[in-house]
Amino acid sequence: MPKMKTNSGAKKRFALTGSGKIKRKHAYKSHILTKKTKKQKLNLTHTGLVDKADTKRVKIMLGLR
């Protein structure tokens, strides 16, 4: 049986932390930034964690299961 391929889009978007959680970036930070406040843009800059409900699916896409 062949090896499972890693999803190319997922490997560009997600990264693992040392404790095994999955880091992600926030959406809405790429364009139309003029109408967004400084506070909103600053908060979108920080990384977040993938929700518990989605971690299994993301780990499968990253080839970790």
Side-chain angles (χ1 to χ4, degrees), residues 8-46:
S8 298
K11 69 183 175 187
K12 294 170 193 170
R13 286 172 172 83
F14 302 108
L16 276 177
T17 62
S19 60
K21 294 176 183 170
I22 304 169
K23 283 194 302 187
R24 64 171 179 86
K25 290 187 176 177
H26 284 99
Y28 309 111
K29 185 68 178 24
S30 58
H31 60 93
I32 315 176
L33 299 173
T34 51
K35 60 175 76 169
K36 293 174 184 134
T37 62
K38 288 179 187 177
K39 183 178 180 180
Q40 188 178 4
K41 289 183 277 192
L42 181 68
N43 289 335
L44 290 173
T45 301
H46 306 306

